[in-house]
Amino acid sequence: MLDIQNLHASAGDTPIIKGIDLHIGAGEVHAIMGPNGSGKSTLSNVLAGRPGYSVTQGEINYDGKNLLEMETETRAREGVFLAFQYPVEIPGVGNSYFLKTSLNAIRTHNGLDELDAMDFLALCEEKMKRVEMPSDLMSRSINEGFSGGEKKRNEILQMLLLEPKLCVLDETDSGLDIDALRVVANGVNSLRSPDRAMLVITHYQRLLDYIVPDRIHVLADGKIVRSGGRELAGELEEKGYGWIGQTE
Amino acid sequence: MRGGSRGNPAESWIQAFPAFAAALGDNPQRQAQRERALAAFGELGLPSTRLEAWRSTNLGTLEKRMPPAPTGHAPEAGLLEKAKTQIALEADRVGEASLRAVFIDGHFCSSLSSLPEDESAIRVLSIRPESPTPVAFPQGYGELAPAKRDAFSALNEAFTPGIEVLEFGEGCEIDLPVHLVFLSSGDGRLNCPRLHVTGKKQSRATLILDFLSVPDGENLVSSVTEIFLEERAHLDCVVAERESDRTVHIANLQARQGRESGLRIHTLTLGGALVRNELGVELADLGAELDLNGLYVGSGDQHQDNHTRVDHATPRTTSRELYKGILADNARGVFRGLIHVRPDAQKIDSTQSNMNLLLSPGARVDTRPQLEIYADDVKCSHGSTIGKLDEEALFYLRSRGLSPSEARAMLTRGFVAEICDALPLESLRTAITELVLEKLSACVHPGGEGVA
């Protein structure tokens, strides 16, 4: 599903990612852990195509296509979804209107009919239940005045609606209390399927108690310094990131 | 436009006045009033950029275009036909109205108008050449926009075909909007619509001043509107300026509010080559509340200037002012808002905000909020912002599958939502919002060139 080879990337002029190789197959959930500044967010931004980041070397192959040649919106339409660490507030644009526009843009790209208002509403209500999202958040402006937890639920709601093939979750656990974390994780887990891949980026092991990954990679100074099974999270929790540096 | 050569339009209008007056054939009382106004205009002359209030708006363009004075005759048949077509296309777009009056180049056009039979709620008391003498001027006429104070008010008084007078009767509640259409025929000339509105005690009404022109029509419009609200009268006034991008419009709207009256003025500047809105409101009695809600959307080489003046003349009066501007291409916006609080006007609550969105490197805006406060127990705030579309928000929308142009359209739409949502009556709100979005799409898709 996702094949990253020798990736080097910069934020602005600063090299951040210094050679990453990563292969995530369909149906797999991988986690990337690492200290602040290790390049976790840069990796997610490069995958989503955020302006200001440039790939200086290497390749990213997504579902048999060259991801780096695609525009941001094309990646989204082809099934790449980034759950933002800091979802953006957009005053004056209704959340519901935004989600419907987004869903229909993606459906149209994939040769499906657009959903009308009624069908969209029905679908949306069903998905909202799964993330325990109050209905008034749909009639409000995108993320405007949402609490931290509401913003993250809104991200997961979008993921549930758009049903992407590759889900990238960028520190989705940051700023969440334990109840919100459970709700968000349940939403994510409900999307786990044999034809979908997930990349969960987090600083803390806590999230991985709820979203249990198949593989864990530890990122430090722009490189994957350790990869292992889910037991690696426990080790990191116990010994901290300093331990990784020492073993290198 | 006729004329062609450079010159002084003020001179040419003064010279053309006798022919205009003879063709119009007004009564001696009005004729004398017109002559006084013309003399005032002669003394004032067209404002130059040396005047502080006109520093950002250069009328030099009028010298190149030299719009001739009006003829004094109603529009010719050919122009009338085009005007009718345009009314049919555009006027209905603002939805149902309780009354529609159409003025072409300031001349009342009865065949396109529908006035109410029952005059108990809305009275039309217009002063036209055929009106009986002595002329019964409405109370307060000319007090807010006197000819001697400002050149365009003077020009308007000299050259208006008639004074259109509208009165909302005491205690009346008018559910559907009153729709006044001021259409410029595109005859290339100056035209001067004049309106006087009175909201009697406890009346409640919605008024649309709809400024239109025939497509690509050239005109100089100098409009004057005076609004008087009596005790506890409420008026929502929507000013829609959607003329061709070859029209120059100098719009002077002045209002005075009585005790506990409520006035909301929504000014939407979408069209015009050069538009100057001179808007002044005097909160003249206790408990008066004012909302000024403004939007200007400019593209191409449009120049849109809003000068507002809120005069808190008495204690315990409230004003809220929000103007938003979106400027694309090489368009230029000007906002100058003055809040004036007089010495004895205590317990004032006043806010003013001007927010601007520039969509291209060539777009410009000059914003100058001003406070002049001479009382000590007041709550006043003001501020202005100028910005571009938020890159972070654009990326967010694109990461959800929206194209850059869809994302820009959605963000600009979000920017104006606050203004559109404040419009009165759902049908009117929907209709005007659609006009705004049409204009926005012209700004956001200039041949696919983008910000992102």
Side-chain angles (χ1 to χ4, degrees), chain B residues 6 25 73 97 151 187-188 269 304 322 326 348 387 432:
Chain B
R6 287 177 72 96
H73 294 293
D187 66 357
T269 307
Q304 300 168 332
L322 173 64
I326 295 186
I348 299 301
I432 301 277

Side-chain angles (χ1 to χ4, degrees), chain B residues 51-69:
Chain B
L51 290 172
E52 175 59 24
W54 289 86
R55 210 173 70 182
S56 306
T57 295
N58 188 346
L59 294 174
T61 170
L62 292 179
E63 286 173 17
K64 281 182 223 140
R65 298 184 174 210
M66 284 293 288

Side-chain angles (χ1 to χ4, degrees), chain B residues 88-414:
Chain B
L89 280 174
E90 288 295 330
D92 283 336
R93 296 195 56 194
V94 304
E96 217 183 341
S98 56
L99 171 165
R100 177 181 292 157
V102 173
F103 306 90
I104 301 175
D105 296 338
H107 293 267
F108 176 64
C109 182
S110 60
S111 63
L112 294 174
S113 302
S114 54
L115 301 183
E117 284 172 17
D118 172 15
E119 288 218 327
S120 59
I122 308 169
R123 296 176 73 197
V124 182
L125 303 157
S126 297
I127 299 166
R128 301 181 187 141
E130 64 275 18
S131 299
T133 50
V135 175
F137 288 103
Q139 202 177 353
Y141 173 79
E143 283 180 22
L144 304 180
K148 60 181 187 293
R149 188 189 296 161
D150 137 78
F152 284 102
S153 298
L155 193 63
N156 175 280
E157 182 148 79
F159 283 107
T160 185
I163 303 165
E164 304 306 326
V165 181
L166 197 63
E167 188 182 283
F168 301 116
E170 187 169 328
C172 73
E173 296 215 3
I174 301 154
D175 297 330
L176 288 172
V178 171
H179 187 194
L180 304 186
V181 181
F182 300 95
L183 183 124
S184 294
S185 70
D187 66 357
R189 294 174 180 272
L190 165 70
N191 74 64
C192 298
R194 176 98 190 191
L195 177 66
H196 184 103
V197 179
T198 307
K200 305 293 275 183
K201 275 186 192 171
Q202 284 179 284
S203 60
R204 202 170 267 277
T206 303
L207 176 65
I208 311 168
L209 308 184
D210 197 0
F211 291 94
L212 286 172
S213 70
V214 298
D216 299 324
E218 284 198 38
N219 277 104
L220 166 62
V221 184
S222 172
S223 62
V224 172
T225 304
E226 289 175 297
I227 297 175
F228 291 82
L229 290 190
E230 294 184 358
E231 192 177 327
R232 279 182 280 163
H234 280 81
L235 178 68
D236 257 288
C237 179
V238 178
V239 182
E241 292 166 327
R242 45 190 188 119
E243 292 133 317
S244 78
D245 59 8
R246 297 165 87 177
T247 304
V248 175
H249 186 176
I250 314 294
N252 187 8
L253 191 156
Q254 301 292 324
R256 179 182 287 160
Q257 291 188 246
R259 183 173 292 231
E260 290 168 37
S261 63
L263 176 61
R264 303 173 73 211
I265 301 176
H266 314 263
T267 308
L268 302 128
T269 307
L270 306 176
L274 184 159
V275 177
R276 158 80 164 212
N277 289 308
E278 192 91 38
L279 171 58
V281 181
E282 180 188 341
L283 294 123
D285 210 340
L286 300 174
E289 289 190 16
L290 170 69
D291 270 285
L292 295 182
N293 192 29
L295 176 69
Y296 42 99
V297 186
S299 57
D301 294 314
Q302 286 182 297
H303 180 108
Q304 300 168 332
D305 176 348
N306 281 282
H307 265 58
T308 67
R309 182 191 160 91
V310 176
D311 181 4
H312 285 275
T314 49
R316 298 210 304 277
T317 48
T318 306
S319 66
R320 284 176 296 272
E321 177 171 6
L322 173 64
Y323 268 69
K324 287 193 172 188
I326 295 186
L327 299 155
D329 307 330
N330 296 307
R332 182 165 182 201
V334 180
F335 175 82
R336 184 172 166 190
L338 174 67
I339 308 272
H340 181 87
V341 180
R342 296 203 206 173
D344 296 324
Q346 306 293 359
K347 308 280 183 204
I348 299 301
D349 191 344
S350 172
T351 62
Q352 182 194 69
S353 170
N354 173 230
M355 297 165 80
N356 297 283
L357 192 55
L358 301 183
L359 295 181
S360 74
R364 264 185 75 182
V365 68
D366 299 293
T367 170
R368 274 180 288 164
Q370 282 179 294
L371 294 177
E372 280 178 3
I373 302 174
Y374 298 99
D376 48 23
D377 184 11
V378 301
K379 205 167 87 184
C380 289
S381 68
H382 70 171
S384 67
T385 61
I386 302 172
K388 293 194 277 187
L389 284 177
D390 181 4
E391 291 292 338
E392 192 61 23
L394 280 173
F395 172 63
Y396 188 61
L397 297 180
R398 290 180 65 196
S399 80
R400 298 301 181 251
L402 276 71
S403 69
S405 65
E406 285 169 329
R408 283 198 300 275
M410 194 175 267
L411 291 183
T412 47
R413 192 183 172 136

Side-chain angles (χ1 to χ4, degrees), chain A residues 17-29:
Chain A
I17 291 179
K18 300 163 184 169
I20 288 183
D21 291 281
L22 180 65
H23 177 83
I24 306 177
E28 293 176 7
V29 176

